[in-house]
Amino acid sequence: MTKVFLKKKIQNRVLQGHPWIFGNEVGEIQGPVDAGDIVDVFTHSGHFLGRGYINPQSQILVRLLTRDKDEQIDAEFFYRRLLKAWKYRQQIGYTENCRLVFGEADEMPALVIDKFNDYFVLQTLALGMDKWKGAIVDALTKIFSPKGIYERNDVPVRELEGMQQQKGFLSAPFDTNIIIRENGLQFHVDIENGQKTGYFLDQQDNRRAIQHIVKDADVLEAFCYTGTFSCHAGYYGAKSVLGLDISEHAVNTARKNAQLNNLEDKCKFQAVNAFDVLKQWTKEEKKFDVVILDPPAFTKSRENIQKAITGYKEINLRGMKLLKPGGFLVTASCTNLVPPSMFLEIIDMAAKDAKKKLRQVTFQTQAQDHPILWNIENTTYLKFLIVEVQ
Ligand code: SAH
């Protein structure tokens, strides 16, 4: 097996448990370097560090899969890891729908698997993981006897690994429009054409967090996607709910979701650019009791972080202005490029500019089925804040 030796100075991060090895951290490689192959990684002085997959096309040269010298990477390995991930979800009580595998946090770098009851949606975002897709599908079949498995690898990041974007069935074809249950409601999920894997499971705990503040309230939700927060607001007793999203497809599904839950009289949706509407309605001095904001990432790269900061600040400032005194702002950010402390600073800046005082109700992160590993910063990616705005 090919041996990768780290440079002398930089092995601490990896020793402390981080599974990524960047190209510029490697001193010497002994043996052939074939993209996607399994290699052994050693310290400068030859101490075994772990075993993982290599890709010279990627900035992350090696991602470690195991630290156990005696553990082989084969189909059996993926079966064991999937069982372990499933056992963990069962222990913490996320079984019907859950993120079954959350990449690095489940010791399977660049692998994402969402479980929607009997259906599974999979993403293999690095070449070295993609090579094991067959073994992963076999393991899923063995453990769950699924009704369907689908690949949502239509993700640009795959191109950095020298792979194509693609999507399609990994099992016998099935109807990819399914219905899932969450918090006592039901939601349509379009596995084939929905965003990401079709549904944002990471907000499932946070959707429950609005239960009390929306009672009898007029609620505005911008960036509503398929209306999941909006439907929760209706279900929890809001007086009226208006959801906005730029995607017609999302808004149509949101309307269907409202119907599915008998909330179509209360929950209305519009396909519009939320930036324009928030600006216009601030000028018109429209007011709501609760404003919910769950925008997209705004940037995918650290270089453009300022763009994200500006975007978050603008919508939150407008959201605050659209609230009646004592109203609640529910606001989220899903990019790991904005850490929790920076997110709170942005909200603070927005409040100062809007001349508002904030009282924090709760500050949360992603649902528990997306575990946070303390030594891997980007496993904490979702920020979810509720504040009372005076
Ligand atoms: N809260 C949702 C997820 C929102 S994802 C849930 O829990 O399911 C972010 C959404 O913002 C996407 O649906 C995307 O279509 C929408 N979006 C992106 N830019 C927008 C814009 N300028 N105006 C309105 N919606 C936008």
Side-chain angles (χ1 to χ4, degrees):
M1 190 171 309
T2 294
K3 293 180 172 173
V4 173
F5 293 88
L6 298 189
K7 286 181 187 159
K8 207 170 192 168
K9 278 200 181 135
I10 42 76
Q11 63 210 24
N12 266 350
R13 186 179 53 83
V14 183
L15 273 175
Q16 283 157 11
H18 204 292
W20 294 357
I21 291 153
F22 291 95
N24 62 8
E25 296 175 315
V26 170
E28 191 196 343
I29 300 181
Q30 292 175 1
V33 177
D34 293 320
D37 275 5
I38 301 297
V39 298
D40 279 349
V41 179
F42 299 87
T43 60
H44 184 75
S45 54
H47 176 75
F48 179 83
L49 270 177
R51 183 166 290 144
Y53 56 80
I54 192 164
N55 186 354
Q57 274 216 33
S58 169
Q59 273 189 3
I60 307 171
L61 183 67
V62 181
R63 290 171 165 94
L64 294 179
L65 291 161
T66 181
R67 306 225 166 219
D68 178 354
K69 225 175 36 259
D70 301 322
E71 188 167 46
Q72 299 313 312
I73 308 302
D74 49 20
E76 192 58 30
F77 168 86
F78 286 96
Y79 176 74
R80 280 197 310 274
R81 280 286 152 89
L82 280 183
L83 259 190
K84 194 173 165 192
W86 176 224
K87 185 159 176 244
Y88 183 69
R89 294 342 183 251
Q90 289 173 297
Q91 279 179 317
I92 60 169
Y94 289 70
T95 51
E96 189 168 309
N97 310 311
C98 62
R99 176 145 294 189
L100 176 66
V101 175
F102 182 43
E104 280 70 5
D106 285 296
E107 301 169 287
M108 286 177 271
L111 177 65
V112 169
I113 304 178
D114 277 353
K115 174 182 185 296
F116 299 118
N117 204 353
D118 294 321
Y119 298 92
F120 293 78
V121 182
L122 179 149
Q123 295 178 318
T124 42
L125 304 173
L127 179 65
M129 189 53 83
D130 195 67
K131 285 202 159 186
W132 294 97
K133 207 160 64 185
I136 294 162
V137 168
D138 288 347
L140 281 176
T141 308
K142 209 159 138 190
I143 300 169
F144 297 98
S145 307
K147 286 192 180 152
I149 308 175
Y150 198 87
E151 161 180 24
R152 279 302 299 271
N153 272 327
D154 47 331
V155 187
V157 76
R158 275 173 58 103
E159 289 168 12
L160 300 178
E161 290 271 326
M163 292 188 290
Q164 288 185 338
Q165 297 192 42
Q166 62 194 60
K167 61 178 177 177
F169 295 103
L170 295 175
S171 64
F174 58 95
D175 182 354
T176 48
N177 287 296
I178 60 165
I179 293 178
I180 63 166
R181 301 188 296 183
E182 183 185 279
N183 302 324
L185 292 109
Q186 288 188 296
F187 294 105
H188 290 280
V189 178
D190 180 346
I191 288 177
E192 185 182 357
N193 295 312
Q195 295 183 23
K196 304 276 170 78
T197 61
Y199 189 80
F200 292 94
L201 285 170
D202 52 5
Q203 292 279 28
Q204 58 179 316
D205 296 354
N206 299 331
R207 294 188 189 105
R208 274 197 305 278
I210 65 168
Q211 178 167 2
H212 301 290
I213 58 165
V214 296
K215 199 154 185 338
D216 299 321
D218 291 317
V219 177
L220 173 67
E221 183 192 10
F223 312 95
C224 70
Y225 186 45
T226 55
T228 54
F229 274 100
S230 290
C231 289
H232 275 77
Y235 177 67
Y236 290 138
K239 196 171 11 156
S240 75
V241 185
L242 179 57
L244 313 175
D245 199 281
I246 202 159
S247 153
E248 291 274 358
H249 183 263
V251 164
N252 285 335
T253 311
R255 291 189 182 120
K256 285 202 307 188
N257 280 333
Q259 269 166 15
L260 187 62
N261 294 289
N262 297 320
L263 294 165
E264 67 270 29
D265 291 341
K266 253 192 216 180
C267 300
K268 303 290 179 197
F269 297 93
Q270 288 176 16
V272 290
N273 185 333
F275 278 92
D276 299 342
V277 171
L278 291 176
K279 192 172 170 186
Q280 181 64 27
W281 290 359
T282 314
K283 263 197 213 138
E284 293 172 11
E285 297 192 12
K286 277 197 187 232
K287 297 290 172 198
F288 297 86
D289 299 296
V290 176
V291 172
I292 304 172
L293 305 170
D294 182 17
F298 292 143
T299 173
K300 298 258 181 273
S301 72
R302 219 166 276 283
E303 295 76 60
N304 285 331
I305 191 76
Q306 194 52 45
K307 198 175 131 207
I309 295 174
T310 309
Y312 284 125
K313 188 178 162 196
E314 176 176 339
I315 58 167
N316 281 286
L317 182 128
R318 301 211 194 278
M320 288 176 199
K321 288 190 171 171
L322 284 169
L323 284 167
K324 295 174 195 164
F328 292 97
L329 177 71
V330 178
T331 181
S333 149
C334 62
T335 169
N336 63 51
L337 297 173
V338 173
S341 57
M342 187 191 286
F343 182 65
L344 295 178
E345 276 171 39
I346 297 168
I347 303 299
D348 187 43
M349 284 191 303
K352 287 194 172 118
D353 283 7
K355 301 196 170 41
K356 303 284 182 190
K357 282 205 178 67
L358 305 183
R359 180 155 69 166
Q360 181 173 318
V361 179
T362 188
F363 187 40
Q364 302 180 177
T365 184
Q366 66 254 19
Q368 293 170 24
D369 54 348
H370 298 57
I372 292 171
L373 277 197
W374 281 21
N375 59 337
I376 309 180
E377 316 78 52
N378 69 350
T379 57
T380 320
Y381 71 99
L382 189 69
K383 285 78 58 191
F384 176 85
L385 175 72
I386 303 182
V387 281
E388 184 199 43
V389 180
Q390 285 289 352

